[in-house]
Amino acid sequence: MLNNPPGPTLLGFDVIWVGTLLAFVAAAAVMLAIYAAVTVRDPMAKRVKALNERREQLKAGIVSSATKKRASLVRKSDATEKMRETMSSLKVLQDSQLKQIQQKLAQGGVRKKELAFVVLFVRMVTPIVLGLVTALLLFVFNVAPEWSAFKKVMAFGAALGLGYKGPEIYLSNIIGKRTAAIRKGLPDALDLLVICAEAGLTVDAAFNRVARELGRAYPELGDEFALTSIELSFLTERRHAFENLAYRVDLDSVKGVVTTMIQTERYGTPLASALRVLSAEFRNERMMRAEEKAARLPAIMTVPLILFILPVLFVVILGPASCQISDSFVNVKPS
């Protein structure tokens, strides 16, 4: 019975088997990309629902003047109530810290203020849990016996730091992504606001129109503009609606727009000309930011080029020659 000749090898690995595995991974990635492109969900569905809830809350808050009625608008679950009571009993709940977390949640697109208690409770409990698990694994079960005492103590400290800073890092990541998306669409939104202002629309109608037009291209910005339009329609002072917009968006450009809108409301200055100047400034800023990223690209690509691209080129170029040389040495019979 004849044995099948072995296939070409490179560094001890079968080239055909490795190529088959890479082809399978590439096919799976292509199928995943097609599935992600086909099953795109409407990003405005949840936001429209949240805005309708906010509209009802504002209506109820204006019609009702009783304090109990306004307090009932904030829906609190039993879990958040228990968390709040636990932190209050432990004397770890501070009003300044709670307001800061609520503002971060608003900047991240989370409308429920009671979730701030959840963030604070998780930040209090997670270091204890991770610290206990790490201490049990390292000091009781001795998972890493080759580690020295210093390494174990450092790992324990790293677990505590990760448990304390983890929720805050996650929340900051959400805020950064949302802020970047809003910054990207702000010049286009200002251009549309200028067109609406020159067409004779009121400020709240202009914000509503811009929110509808940019809702699919920039859903985060459309969400904020739609909520501002609702607050402009129902709040007693229009200045509070603009201040709420600056409160919810961690962006200096939005704060500049808010300041401009408040000044035009107070002094009656032309809105279209002021917004046109701001739009030009923001476009220049976006272009300068893009040029800065393009200038940094060669320096950033140096390390990936050395670590990932050049080795692949060497394998592709020298791989067949290495296989032929190894096969020729294997097939040489001793005399």
Side-chain angles (χ1 to χ4, degrees):
M1 184 176 181
L2 297 177
N3 294 327
N4 294 327
T9 59
L10 179 63
L11 300 177
F13 295 98
D14 191 353
V15 176
I16 297 176
W17 184 83
V18 174
T20 305
L21 181 61
L22 293 177
F24 174 76
V25 173
V30 171
M31 294 299 294
L32 182 62
I34 294 174
Y35 175 77
V38 172
T39 59
V40 176
R41 298 181 179 179
D42 188 4
M44 293 295 294
K46 293 183 179 179
R47 293 181 172 86
V48 170
K49 182 179 179 181
L51 292 176
N52 290 331
E53 292 179 358
R54 177 63 174 170
R55 182 193 295 269
E56 296 299 327
Q57 290 178 1
L58 290 173
K59 286 182 179 179
I62 293 174
V63 173
S64 170
S65 59
T67 307
K68 294 182 179 180
K69 182 65 177 178
R70 293 180 180 178
S72 65
L73 296 175
V74 182
R75 296 176 297 178
K76 298 180 181 180
S77 61
D78 295 336
T80 55
E81 278 294 316
K82 291 180 180 178
M83 292 179 186
R84 185 184 65 82
E85 292 175 359
T86 303
M87 289 185 292
S88 299
S89 61
L90 295 176
K91 305 298 181 181
V92 294
L93 187 62
Q94 300 179 359
D95 292 338
S96 60
Q97 193 176 20
L98 181 62
K99 292 180 180 179
Q100 183 180 3
I101 297 297
Q102 288 177 351
Q103 184 177 8
K104 288 185 177 181
L105 287 175
Q107 292 172 356
V110 181
R111 305 302 181 198
K112 296 182 179 180
K113 293 184 177 181
E114 62 268 18
L115 291 181
F117 299 110
V118 179
V119 175
L120 292 175
F121 186 79
V122 170
R123 194 168 66 176
M124 181 183 68
V125 173
T126 308
I128 301 175
V129 175
L130 286 181
L132 288 176
V133 172
T134 306
L136 289 174
L137 291 177
L138 293 179
F139 298 103
V140 178
F141 297 103
N142 198 13
V143 176
E146 69 277 4
W147 283 13
S148 62
F150 178 75
K151 287 184 178 180
K152 292 181 179 181
V153 172
M154 291 298 294
F156 178 73
L160 291 178
L162 180 63
Y164 182 76
K165 287 294 184 180
E168 187 175 354
I169 293 174
Y170 177 73
L171 190 58
S172 299
N173 188 20
I174 296 177
I175 294 173
K177 291 181 179 179
R178 183 178 176 85
T179 303
I182 293 175
R183 183 189 293 113
K184 185 178 180 181
L186 189 59
D188 298 334
L190 290 183
D191 289 339
L192 287 178
L193 278 178
V194 170
I195 295 173
C196 293
E198 291 178 346
L201 295 178
T202 59
V203 177
D204 51 348
F207 271 87
N208 190 18
R209 182 69 179 181
V210 173
R212 291 204 310 268
E213 294 294 333
L214 296 181
R216 293 189 177 274
Y218 307 104
E220 295 83 4
L221 186 60
D223 180 19
E224 296 297 337
F225 273 37
L227 185 55
T228 303
S229 174
I230 293 172
E231 291 181 346
L232 285 171
S233 302
F234 290 101
L235 291 181
T236 55
E237 294 188 14
R238 300 167 66 88
R239 178 174 58 87
H240 292 165
F242 296 124
E243 292 176 352
N244 291 336
L245 177 60
Y247 174 83
R248 295 191 305 268
V249 180
D250 186 19
L251 196 60
D252 293 335
S253 303
V254 174
K255 292 180 174 62
V257 174
V258 167
T259 303
T260 302
M261 300 297 292
I262 292 175
Q263 289 178 354
T264 54
E265 288 281 339
R266 178 179 299 176
Y267 302 110
T269 56
L271 178 61
S273 58
L275 291 179
R276 189 180 291 109
V277 172
L278 286 176
S279 176
E281 291 181 358
F282 295 159
R283 287 188 181 278
N284 292 332
E285 181 183 356
R286 187 169 65 177
M287 183 61 66
M288 292 175 60
R289 193 180 299 110
E291 291 176 354
E292 181 183 357
K293 289 183 178 179
R296 292 186 311 186
L297 189 60
I300 296 175
M301 286 296 296
T302 302
V303 176
L305 179 66
I306 295 174
L307 293 180
F308 302 106
I309 299 178
L310 290 181
V312 174
L313 289 178
F314 289 152
V315 170
V316 171
I317 295 173
L318 301 179
S322 302
C323 292
Q324 292 179 1
I325 293 173
S326 62
D327 291 339
S328 63
F329 277 110
V330 169
N331 295 329
V332 172
K333 297 182 180 178
S335 57

